[in-house]
């Protein structure tokens, strides 16, 4: 279980402040979006709005796979 | 004094002030404009002929102290769709009309002498119509300046520019906002209807009005407080929208693979990062602009902004996602400043940003300009369209006609109105709204992007058909009702997510009018409006066959999800079973 996977991590709107827009990461296999959210601490001030993996909505417990793109947004809207 | 109906006849150059008929009494905004158009306009009339009418009506709560209540509706038969149209706008108009006691302003007929254009000035118990030869051939800001000089800085102004005078289908009607900039009755070619009646501008007196009255002002204040707090506490209307404006959507919709690009060929744009709301907010900050601006007094959300150029000089405001999408993703211009300059130009010329932008996206397929060529797009809009040159006329007729003239198949319109900013194949609930709304492809008619993408009001998988018809139906019913209150649609984020918001809105209505409306009454109002509009369209010759997506979306798969528009006709027609 100490296999590593490569993922792309993208942050949007207020989550970018003090962080980054996009980053390539190597993580342990079995990593979930929740692990990444906890590590970044981004939801302390603004709750999670939208979580997408490879352009599809997923939840925090999804198990990330090699090559996945994870996109995180606070609650935002427009129209 | 009771509210009255102001009726202006351009054929006889006269006006009448009438009592409000009993069955119009409880209506405002879209509910009132659609009911009046349906009862007074022959659905088979030529939209630019003598028998079409323009009906302006403030919302039921406009003019009150309620937050975000300053939207004004305009109804008519649309020359673009051939069906009924309601378009609504912020600016100072709704509040001023309501305080003057104008329940609706109805304009009918066409002047015999069509050698000039006219200015209509509405004041308490009076309407003045005068020829304004000196304004003919001028554009919006010129007219705005002239009216501010003639009256004062507060006067409400509605105006058309040269494209409206020429009755182009991409023309809109512009309305003055509190800062002296412009907002618009954007869609459906309503500028052409105003042009057909030879009306250059309409002003509403802002000096001699009375404040609106309340049946129970204490109750109103109480409900209004709850309502305002709900909007401010909501993470979307309270934080996201003021910080990034509606343009925050570029990245989200792009990430979801649903940002129509290259005339609806893919759901991703390589330009997203350059044109997104985050980049826009950075530019605004660095250039001393402002991310917050309300399109009318009393807006507590302030999704609008002031966008400056590199030297810190004002470039544009009201810089919306749909505009930026049309020129940035669909037409491929990768520079926000260029898009902002086009936005400002189109404000002055009174052009519908969506219709014009989608039309230019299609013009790339027609070989008229190259993908991403912002300079040429600017030139076409500045030099060809408003001068009515042959190519200007062609582009000024909108996407549907351009497609026909050039023999194109991939023409993204429903009921001849351009599809905005959300790829229907990849946000299927929004697609249902585009095909079923009586308005032609219009995103505000039932914003399914909320539950399909934004996780607002539940979650419905955007790539599946399940639940989409019902979702769109419920949203369209709610939107028709909200459009009648004068509320900006962005209250919906709070109305859907916060259980105190909608009851507070209904309490405000009851406290204003002394009524005992319930949630069910509001839903029934929404249903009545939709059915009235649909009935008008059927008499006008629009059938179920017009509730359809352009065929290419049924056989062409859209990357990255490789999806098609796969609803059957029977599934779509189910929409109207209510
Ligand atoms: S939220 Fe935006 S559209 Fe709505 S009233 Fe405020 S500025 Fe106007």
């Amino acid at each position: 279980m100490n296999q590593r996977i490569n993922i792309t991590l993208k942050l949007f709107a207020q989550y970018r402040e003090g962080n980054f827009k996009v980053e390539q990461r190597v993580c342990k296999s079995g990593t979930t979006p929740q692990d990444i959210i906890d590590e970044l601490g981004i939801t302390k001030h603004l709750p999670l709005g939208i979580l997408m993996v490879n352009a599809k909505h997923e939840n925090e417990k999804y198990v990330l796979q090699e090559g996945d793109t994870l996109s995180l947004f606070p609650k935002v809207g427009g129209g | 004094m009771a509210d009255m109906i102001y009726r202006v006849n351009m054929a006889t150059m006269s006006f009448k002030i009438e009592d409000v008929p009993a069955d119009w009494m409880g209506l405002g905004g879209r509910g009132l404009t659609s009911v009046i158009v349906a009862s007074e306009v022959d659905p088979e009339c030529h939209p630019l002929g003598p028998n079409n009418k323009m009906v302006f009506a403030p919302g039921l709560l406009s003019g009150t102290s309620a937050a975000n209540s300053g939207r004004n509706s305009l109804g008519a038969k649309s020359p673009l769709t051939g069906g009924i149209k309601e378009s609504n706008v912020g600016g100072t108009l709704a509040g001023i009309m309501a305080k003057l006691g104008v329940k609706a302003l109805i304009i009918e007929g066409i002047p015999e002498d069509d050698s000039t254009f006219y200015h209509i000035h509405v004041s308490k118990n009076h309407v003045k119509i005068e020829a304004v030869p000196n304004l003919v051939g001028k554009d919006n800001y010129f007219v705005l300046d002239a009216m501010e000089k003639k009256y004062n800085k507060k006067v409400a102004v509605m105006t058309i520019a040269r494209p409206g005078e020429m009755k182009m289908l991409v023309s809109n009607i512009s309305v003055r906002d509190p800062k002296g900039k412009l907002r618009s009755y954007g869609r459906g070619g309503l500028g052409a209807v105003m042009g057909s009646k030879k009306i250059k501008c309409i002003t509403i007196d802002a000096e001699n009005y009375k404040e609106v009255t309340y049946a129970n002002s204490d109750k109103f204040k109480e409900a209004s407080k709850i309502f305002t707090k709900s909007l401010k506490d909501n993470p979307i209307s309270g934080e996201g929208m003021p910080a990034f404006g509606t343009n925050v959507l570029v990245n989200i919709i792009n990430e979801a693979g649903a940002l129509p690009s290259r005339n609806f060929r893919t759901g991703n744009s390589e330009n997203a990062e350059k044109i997104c709301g985050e980049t826009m907010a950075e530019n605004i900050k660095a250039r001393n602009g402002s991310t917050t601006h309300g399109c009318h007094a009393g807006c507590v959300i302030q999704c609008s902004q002031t966008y400056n150029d590199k030297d810190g000089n004002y470039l544009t405001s009201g810089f919306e996602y749909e505009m930026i999408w049309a020129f940035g993703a669909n037409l491929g211009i990768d520079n926000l400043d260029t898009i902002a300059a086009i936005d400002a130009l189109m404000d002055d010329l009174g052009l519908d940003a969506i219709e014009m932008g989608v039309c230019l996206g299609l013009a790339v397929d027609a070989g008229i300009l190259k993908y991403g060529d912002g300079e040429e797009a600017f030139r076409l809009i500045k030099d060809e369209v408003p001068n009515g040159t042959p190519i200007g006329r062609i582009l000024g007729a909108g996407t549907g006609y351009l497609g026909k003239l050039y023999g194109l198949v991939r023409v993204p319109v429903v009921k001849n109105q351009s599809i905005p900013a959300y790829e229907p194949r990849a946000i299927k609930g929004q697609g249902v709204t585009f095909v079923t709304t009586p308005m032609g492809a219009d995103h505000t008619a039932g914003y399914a992007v909320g539950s399909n993408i934004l996780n607002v009001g539940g979650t419905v998988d955007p790539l599946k058909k399940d639940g989409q018809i019902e979702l769109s139906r419920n949203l369209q019913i709610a939107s028709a009702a909200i459009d009648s209150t004068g509320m900006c649609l962005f209250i919906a984020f709070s109305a859907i997510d916060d259980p105190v918001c909608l009851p507070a809105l209904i309490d405000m209505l009851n406290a204003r009018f002394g009524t005992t409306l319930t949630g069910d009454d509001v839903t029934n109002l929404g249903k009545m409006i939709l059915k009235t509009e649909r009935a008008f369209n059927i008499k006008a010759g629009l059938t179920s066959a017009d509730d359809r997506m352009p065929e290419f979306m049924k056989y062409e798969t859209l990357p990255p999800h490789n999806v098609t528009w796969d609803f059957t006709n029977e599934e779509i027609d189910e929409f109207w079973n209510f």
Side-chain angles (χ1 to χ4, degrees):
Chain A
M1 271 305 277
N2 25 3
Q3 243 186 315
R4 318 291 282 177
I5 55 162
N6 295 285
I7 64 155
T8 303
L9 176 57
K10 293 184 179 177
L11 301 180
F12 296 95
Q14 292 98 329
Y15 286 169
R16 288 183 170 183
E17 285 158 25
N19 285 307
F20 52 87
K21 292 179 183 171
V22 54
E23 212 174 78
Q24 310 296 327
R25 290 205 161 189
V26 182
C27 23
K28 289 204 302 267
S29 86
T31 300
T32 65
Q34 188 63 53
D35 298 330
I36 295 192
I37 291 166
D38 290 344
E39 185 215 309
L40 290 168
I42 47 175
T43 55
K44 263 184 226 139
H45 302 294
L46 271 182
L48 184 70
I50 304 160
L51 188 164
M52 284 188 229
V53 178
N54 305 332
K56 287 190 178 167
H57 291 76
E58 290 290 352
N59 67 41
E60 294 90 324
K61 293 188 197 116
Y62 168 88
V63 177
L64 289 161
Q65 307 291 319
E66 172 65 27
D68 275 354
T69 296
L70 171 64
S71 307
L72 301 171
F73 305 80
K75 273 218 168 260
V76 283
Chain B
M1 218 190 94
D3 292 347
M4 305 296 276
I5 303 288
Y6 284 53
R7 193 183 287 275
V8 176
N9 187 322
M10 293 304 290
T12 55
M13 293 284 158
S14 62
F15 73 94
K16 277 191 273 182
I17 295 176
E18 303 165 354
D19 290 330
V20 180
D23 43 345
W24 295 358
M25 211 66 106
L27 300 171
R30 175 172 170 187
L32 187 54
T33 63
S34 286
V35 163
I36 295 179
V37 170
S39 69
E40 295 196 359
V41 174
D42 176 2
E44 292 183 3
C45 77
H46 194 296
L48 302 178
N51 293 319
N52 199 4
K53 299 188 184 186
M54 302 173 83
V55 182
F56 297 89
L60 288 166
L61 290 171
S62 299
T64 72
S65 56
N68 289 64
S69 61
R71 307 283 297 187
N72 207 69
S73 292
L74 165 58
K77 178 172 175 176
S78 163
L80 185 73
T81 67
I84 197 167
K85 176 59 72 175
E86 183 267 355
S87 180
N88 63 72
V89 70
T92 60
L93 179 65
I96 292 172
M97 254 176 101
K99 288 176 186 174
L100 207 60
V102 183
K103 177 92 173 162
L105 168 65
I106 304 174
I107 301 177
E108 42 197 45
I110 283 180
E112 250 167 66
D113 175 10
D114 66 356
S115 63
T116 188
F117 275 81
Y118 297 86
H119 163 207
I120 296 176
H121 183 66
V122 178
S123 55
K124 190 84 207 165
N125 298 326
H126 195 76
V127 177
K128 189 171 161 195
I129 309 168
E130 63 178 342
V132 280
N134 55 322
L135 295 181
V136 177
K138 303 295 184 195
D139 296 325
N140 288 329
Y141 280 111
F142 186 95
V143 177
L144 217 59
D145 281 350
M147 292 304 119
E148 284 180 10
K149 274 191 201 116
K150 180 162 185 180
Y151 300 100
N152 51 53
K153 294 256 179 224
K154 275 167 63 193
V155 68
V157 185
M158 292 179 260
T159 160
I160 56 170
R162 286 173 290 163
E165 288 183 14
M166 284 183 275
K167 296 181 271 189
M168 289 182 176
L169 300 182
V170 293
S171 66
N172 65 26
I173 299 171
S174 298
V175 175
R176 190 182 181 280
D177 88 356
K179 284 196 177 157
K181 302 298 180 198
L182 295 166
R183 308 288 298 189
S184 50
Y185 286 113
R187 310 220 60 201
L190 295 179
V193 180
M194 188 148 146
S196 76
K197 300 200 174 302
K198 307 299 287 185
I199 299 166
K200 182 67 185 176
C201 64
I202 303 170
T203 49
I204 318 267
D205 175 54
E207 279 190 299
N208 300 305
Y209 59 63
K210 295 228 166 43
E211 296 301 320
V212 301
T213 53
Y214 301 92
N216 186 333
S217 69
D218 288 342
K219 276 222 168 103
F220 189 91
K221 271 186 208 144
E222 207 179 295
S224 165
K225 241 189 225 157
I226 297 171
F227 182 74
T228 303
K229 185 170 182 308
S230 171
L231 298 185
K232 286 188 171 165
D233 287 351
N234 183 276
I236 295 180
S237 53
E239 292 195 48
M241 298 196 72
F244 300 103
T246 58
N247 197 32
V248 74
L249 289 170
V250 165
N251 272 334
I252 302 169
I253 306 299
N254 186 52
E255 284 305 304
L259 189 72
S261 303
R262 297 179 182 264
N263 189 31
F264 292 77
R265 283 189 171 78
T266 82
N268 293 122
S269 168
E270 72 282 10
N271 293 340
E273 196 52 50
K274 291 186 184 151
I275 60 170
C276 67
E278 291 90 335
T279 300
M280 181 166 117
E282 272 173 32
N283 287 357
I284 289 175
K285 228 178 174 179
R287 301 168 180 186
N288 284 322
S290 164
T291 58
T292 53
H293 167 58
C295 73
H296 67 260
C299 165
V300 297
I301 302 177
Q302 310 232 323
C303 76
S304 188
Q305 61 297 104
T306 308
Y307 187 88
N308 293 339
D309 66 13
K310 283 201 178 83
D311 305 319
N313 300 314
Y314 175 88
L315 205 50
T316 197
S317 60
F319 200 20
E320 306 279 351
Y321 164 66
E322 284 75 17
M323 157 77 202
I324 294 167
W325 156 75
F327 286 84
N330 206 45
L331 178 56
I333 301 171
D334 67 358
N335 185 317
L336 259 186
D337 293 355
T338 308
I339 303 173
I342 293 174
D343 188 55
L345 175 66
M346 291 202 301
D347 275 351
D348 194 30
L349 293 174
L351 300 172
D352 172 10
I354 297 172
E355 197 60 41
M356 193 76 253
V358 175
C359 184
L360 287 173
L362 184 66
V364 173
D365 290 1
I368 294 168
L369 81 168
K370 293 224 160 53
Y371 179 76
D373 190 346
E375 232 170 87
E376 180 60 5
F378 189 91
R379 192 194 68 78
L380 288 166
I381 296 171
K382 180 168 170 289
D383 296 339
E384 306 289 351
V385 174
N387 287 320
T389 63
I391 190 67
R393 286 274 183 182
I394 290 170
L395 296 171
T399 308
Y401 290 110
L402 176 71
K404 283 208 169 74
L405 286 165
Y406 280 77
L408 302 171
V409 174
R410 305 182 73 271
V411 183
V413 295
V414 179
K415 300 185 178 68
N416 201 40
Q417 180 168 290
S418 293
I419 298 176
Y422 309 92
E423 174 52 59
R425 285 167 285 186
I427 312 181
K428 294 194 190 287
Q430 195 58 39
V432 174
T433 295
F434 290 155
V435 292
T436 53
T437 167
M439 299 297 147
D442 175 351
H443 60 288
T444 65
Y447 196 62
V449 176
S451 353
N452 276 200
I453 304 286
L454 305 172
N455 294 338
V456 176
T459 52
V460 177
D461 188 335
L463 301 172
K464 298 215 172 88
K465 296 195 281 183
D466 308 57
Q468 305 287 17
I469 301 281
E470 199 190 349
L471 172 70
S472 172
R473 185 192 294 132
N474 290 338
L475 288 168
Q476 289 195 50
I477 291 168
S479 301
I482 291 178
D483 285 342
S484 304
T485 61
M487 286 289 160
C488 152
L489 254 192
F490 297 149
I491 68 149
F493 294 113
S494 187
I496 287 170
D497 272 354
D498 180 356
V500 307
C501 183
L502 218 44
L505 178 61
I506 295 169
D507 287 348
M508 285 194 290
L509 285 168
N510 287 332
R512 159 95 160 95
F513 297 103
T515 46
T516 52
L517 297 174
T518 63
D520 281 351
D521 294 324
V522 175
T523 308
N524 288 334
L525 170 69
K527 287 183 183 168
M528 180 280 287
I529 295 168
L530 286 180
K531 290 196 165 165
T532 303
E533 293 169 345
R534 161 95 166 160
F536 181 95
N537 280 0
I538 288 174
K539 286 189 210 146
L542 294 168
T543 66
S544 302
D546 296 288
D547 287 358
R548 300 290 180 257
M549 210 48 94
E551 190 199 10
F552 78 90
M553 293 190 178
K554 297 181 190 168
Y555 57 72
E556 205 181 281
T557 55
L558 179 87
H561 293 297
N562 299 321
V563 275
T564 56
W565 178 254
D566 51 358
F567 281 95
T568 64
N569 294 347
E570 292 70 33
E571 285 166 339
I572 292 297
D573 295 343
E574 240 326 276
F575 176 91
W576 287 104
N577 280 336
F578 63 91

